[in-house]
Amino acid sequence: MKNPLVRQALTLWLPLVATYVIVLLLVQAGIIDAYMQVTIATICINIVLAVSLNLITGFTGQFSLGHAGFMAIGAYSTALVTMRWDNVFGFVGGLLLGGVIAALVGFLIGLPTLRLRGDYIAIATLGMAEIIRILLQNFEFTNGAAGLSPVPQHMDWTWFFILTVGSVMLISNFIRSRQGRDAIAVREDEIAAESIGVNTTRSKVLAFTIGAFFGGIAGGMYASYFYVIKPEQFGFLKSIDILVIVVLGGLGSLSGSVIAAFLLAIISTLLQPFPGVRMILYALLLIVIMIFRPQGLLGNRELSLRLLPRFGRRRDAAASGTEAP
């Protein structure tokens, strides 16, 4: 079709709306039970976490290990606000407050640390996340190590769909903007980017701040669905879990992060009947995947429905012995 709006509706919006309606009907009919809803919630939260970290690590090239800290800020902010104002306005306000505070912390941390390069950034961001966790564990208003509970539950499938799709689209639009192209230039060669006039520090701090904001949003989604939050849930291993999704999907591929979040959640669910060997099988599977596909499932490419007609033309051309356009 030549009309770009019609083509976009058919290739993007129609599948998204169909997915939302089908899942909503299945939930209302009871076919998707409470256990499956937890899996869906985990997938949506991991998608937001993965695409926001991919913006920092995959598209800007900054090896960050502090995403769990931003998630913790968003979770506690949303929990504290909704426990005081248990309504939709308190929920939305808590989400936005958590995202803004996480972005502010990311900005303040990013200014001094993102002048570093390589492994030094990973060490600095890891230290930042541990400081956040320890502070939450010792503040009185966060209830210390006991955490906060019960957190009012406002997240449902509609909110998960809106926040997940909205986060992916906003980050995707940023990547296609001038600032996003500057961030990619920094990833490819920081010295070359500086030589053509790119303010590398500003690009890195901007990407880090935006990634932190959506990390906070994901934390708010988590707190508003799982009732209980504790500082130990946002430790070093949580940052590693998010990084695994990004690396498995492909550094520099948002659709790869989405697919990896689905894949890992499904694998983890299927291995639940084997608690004794679940983590061993999970780790072995990741090792095998990274041996045979070290660049990740999609590398730095994006999955698009527009590739399907092209694939069909190539297959037809191969069958007829001609070269596809």
Side-chain angles (χ1 to χ4, degrees):
M1 295 185 180
K2 296 183 178 180
N3 191 325
L5 294 178
V6 175
R7 185 168 61 247
Q8 184 182 32
L10 291 177
T11 59
L12 178 62
W13 293 109
L14 186 60
L16 286 176
V17 172
T19 300
Y20 168 73
V21 173
I22 291 172
V23 174
L24 181 63
L25 292 176
L26 292 176
V27 170
Q28 293 178 346
I31 298 175
I32 295 180
D33 56 16
Y35 180 76
M36 295 177 65
Q37 290 182 45
V38 170
T39 302
I40 292 174
T42 302
I43 290 173
C44 291
I45 294 169
N46 286 343
I47 287 175
V48 178
L49 288 169
V51 296
S52 57
L53 180 60
N54 209 341
L55 172 62
I56 299 171
T57 302
F59 288 94
T60 316
Q62 310 307 308
F63 187 29
S64 173
L65 288 177
H67 224 56
F70 302 131
M71 183 184 180
I73 292 174
Y76 271 86
S77 298
T78 303
L80 289 170
V81 173
T82 54
M83 290 176 74
R84 185 176 180 86
W85 295 285
D86 185 8
N87 52 55
V88 66
F89 298 105
F91 166 63
V92 174
L95 273 179
L96 293 177
L97 179 64
V100 170
I101 295 177
L104 180 61
V105 172
F107 175 78
L108 295 177
I109 297 297
L111 277 178
T113 61
L114 293 182
R115 297 179 184 273
L116 304 172
R117 298 183 183 182
D119 298 339
Y120 299 105
I121 297 178
I123 296 172
T125 53
L126 174 60
M128 175 270 301
E130 285 301 298
I131 290 173
I132 293 174
R133 184 182 64 83
I134 292 172
L135 289 176
L136 293 174
Q137 193 168 335
N138 289 276
F139 282 144
E140 291 186 5
F141 70 90
T142 61
N143 201 28
L148 297 175
S149 64
V151 180
Q153 186 184 46
H154 290 276
M155 291 297 300
D156 55 16
W157 166 239
T158 299
W159 275 113
F160 274 120
F161 181 83
I162 292 172
L163 292 173
T164 304
V165 173
S167 298
V168 174
M169 287 187 171
L170 288 173
I171 292 176
S172 177
N173 288 335
F174 171 78
I175 292 169
R176 290 198 296 265
S177 69
R178 177 182 176 182
Q179 290 77 15
R181 293 194 298 270
D182 287 346
I184 294 174
V186 171
R187 177 196 66 186
E188 296 299 328
D189 193 316
E190 190 168 340
I191 297 176
E194 288 179 345
S195 68
I196 61 174
V198 175
N199 188 328
T200 57
T201 300
R202 183 179 63 185
S203 297
K204 290 189 288 186
V205 171
L206 179 61
F208 197 77
T209 302
I210 294 175
F213 174 84
F214 286 103
I217 294 294
M221 295 165 63
Y222 180 92
S224 190
Y225 186 81
F226 287 103
Y227 299 107
V228 179
I229 55 172
K230 297 181 179 180
E232 63 190 33
Q233 296 170 330
F234 308 102
F236 170 68
L237 292 180
K238 186 61 181 180
S239 293
I240 295 298
D241 288 342
I242 306 168
L243 184 62
V244 166
I245 298 174
V246 173
V247 174
L248 178 61
L251 294 172
S253 173
L254 295 183
S255 50
S257 296
V258 174
I259 294 173
F262 271 100
L263 180 62
L264 291 182
I266 292 173
I267 292 174
S268 180
T269 301
L270 293 177
L271 293 177
Q272 288 292 340
F274 313 100
V277 296
R278 183 170 68 92
M279 293 309 298
I280 297 176
L281 295 176
Y282 183 79
L284 288 176
L285 181 62
L286 291 178
I287 292 172
V288 171
I289 292 174
M290 296 314 298
I291 288 176
F292 292 99
R293 188 72 179 175
Q295 70 272 38
L297 297 177
L298 293 184
N300 60 358
R301 295 171 295 179
E302 298 292 349
L303 184 65
S304 173
L305 293 177
R306 288 176 295 179
L307 295 176
L308 298 180
R310 185 183 304 174
F311 173 77
R313 289 198 302 269
R314 289 181 177 176
R315 184 178 59 185
D316 296 340
S320 61
T322 59
E323 186 176 353

